Amino acid sequence: MKSLDSTTVVQIGIIVKDVEKTASAYAGVFGIPKPEVVPIAGDAFANTNYRGGPSTAQGKGAFFDLGPVQMELIEPVGAPSTWEEFLRTHGEGIHHIAFKTRDMGKAREFLASQGMETIQQGGWDGGQYAYVDCSKQLGLILELLHSD
Amino acid sequence: MKSLDSTTVVQIGIIVKDVEKTASAYAGVFGIPKPEVVPIAGDAFANTNYRGGPSTAQGKGAFFDLGPVQMELIEPVGAPSTWEEFLRTHGEGIHHIAFKTRDMGKAREFLASQGMETIQQGGWDGGQYAYVDCSKQLGLILELLHSD
């Protein structure tokens, strides 16, 4: 792989302190229904790994489908996670943009060859994700998504 | 207006220290050509207003069209601007997400009624923009875009 196999942004992730409150505000501003708040990384599929070690940290999420891009609000629950770290060090804000990749392993290898290391990975019932810290090179965290 | 008249994200804006260097990194990661770096708010159409007063601050920009969403890299030049303020207070990172609005005035009025104030506005040869600080309510800055 000489570059990422996707250039289509599919999701923007925002870290918030209170997902119920912020999801209500989004629903009001965009005139759309408030989605149900759901647990993130809270089940047997999570298998969360943060900076090289297992983590039981979770999140509470709300997902808004805004055209072709999904907005994901995440309230960190517990630690350690990139979500908790971001809230603690940056406060609320835009945490990541996500791309779907066909080969997660090769995508991570390619990014690592550019000095961009995976800081958190895990899964859900139907897929896997990896957060890759590209702060120094791209000014942000990339999320790679793969659906089974 | 009881809600924004657009729910389609059209742009993600990222503040960077060195736009030439970061644009090269993006081009490499995504396997796409590096766009030309262009001046932002540097001409007679700019008419920049920042927190209630005129500003001669500018930016250097690079624009990547990634599917339906454009990635905009902005290196602040001079001050005061929301770009310079973000870099100084947050460091590099994702600064805004943008929506096209049909009626900029009504959109700004609606957001102001929700406690979300315009912190910077201006134009270019063909349109106007406004950055609205929704940090407290939505955890981010919204940009409204209007093409003439």
Side-chain angles (χ1 to χ4, degrees), chain A residues 3-25:
Chain A
S3 62
L4 270 192
D5 61 1
S6 169
T7 59
T8 303
V9 178
V10 295
Q11 187 190 73
I12 300 168
I14 299 155
I15 300 296
V16 300
K17 289 178 192 168
D18 182 335
V19 69
E20 287 284 357
K21 183 178 161 190
T22 310
S24 292

Side-chain angles (χ1 to χ4, degrees), chain A residues 45 123-128 146-148:
Chain A
F45 299 95
W124 69 91
D125 184 7
Q128 294 90 44
H146 178 79
S147 300
D148 296 335

Side-chain angles (χ1 to χ4, degrees), chain A residues 2-9 11-12 14-16 21-22 25-32 65-69 71 73 90 92-97 99 110-111 114 116 135-142, chain B residues 2-9 11-12 14-16 21-22 25-32 65-69 71 73 90 92-97 99 110-111 114 116 135-142:
Chain A
K2 291 182 178 176
S3 62
L4 270 192
D5 61 1
S6 169
T7 59
T8 303
V9 178
Q11 187 190 73
I12 300 168
I14 299 155
I15 300 296
V16 300
K21 183 178 161 190
T22 310
Y26 272 85
V29 165
F30 291 105
I32 55 182
D65 291 317
L66 297 184
V69 176
M71 302 277 288
L73 308 183
H90 290 79
E92 294 186 316
I94 307 172
H95 172 262
H96 68 260
I97 61 173
F99 295 82
F110 164 69
L111 292 171
Q114 309 297 305
M116 305 170 191
S135 302
K136 286 184 188 169
Q137 299 85 359
L138 306 182
L140 49 69
I141 294 169
L142 286 186
Chain B
K2 291 181 179 177
S3 62
L4 270 193
D5 60 1
S6 169
T7 60
T8 303
V9 179
Q11 187 190 74
I12 300 168
I14 299 155
I15 300 295
V16 300
K21 183 179 160 188
T22 309
Y26 272 84
V29 165
F30 292 104
I32 54 181
D65 292 316
L66 297 184
V69 177
M71 302 276 289
L73 308 183
H90 290 79
E92 293 186 316
I94 306 172
H95 172 263
H96 69 261
I97 61 174
F99 295 83
F110 163 69
L111 292 171
Q114 308 297 306
M116 305 170 190
S135 303
K136 286 183 188 169
Q137 298 85 357
L138 306 182
L140 49 70
I141 294 170
L142 286 185

Side-chain angles (χ1 to χ4, degrees), chain B residues 82-100:
Chain B
T82 180
W83 311 314
E84 184 276 337
E85 180 183 325
F86 187 92
L87 183 61
R88 179 166 36 82
T89 59
H90 290 79
E92 293 186 316
I94 306 172
H95 172 263
H96 69 261
I97 61 174
F99 295 83
K100 279 191 183 166

Side-chain angles (χ1 to χ4, degrees), chain A residues 117-144:
Chain A
E117 295 294 339
T118 298
I119 51 172
Q120 183 173 321
Q121 65 199 84
W124 69 91
D125 184 7
Q128 294 90 44
Y129 72 85
Y131 290 113
V132 183
D133 185 2
C134 309
S135 302
K136 286 184 188 169
Q137 299 85 359
L138 306 182
L140 49 69
I141 294 169
L142 286 186
E143 183 178 24
L144 305 176

Side-chain angles (χ1 to χ4, degrees), chain A residues 42-64:
Chain A
D43 61 19
F45 299 95
N47 198 22
T48 308
N49 185 295
Y50 175 71
R51 296 193 181 279
S55 173
T56 57
Q58 299 180 26
K60 292 198 282 186
F63 297 86
F64 292 89

Side-chain angles (χ1 to χ4, degrees), chain A residues 94-115:
Chain A
I94 307 172
H95 172 262
H96 68 260
I97 61 173
F99 295 82
K100 279 191 183 167
T101 185
R102 285 186 290 278
D103 190 321
M104 175 79 79
K106 284 187 180 168
R108 286 177 51 186
E109 262 178 42
F110 164 69
L111 292 171
S113 77
Q114 309 297 305

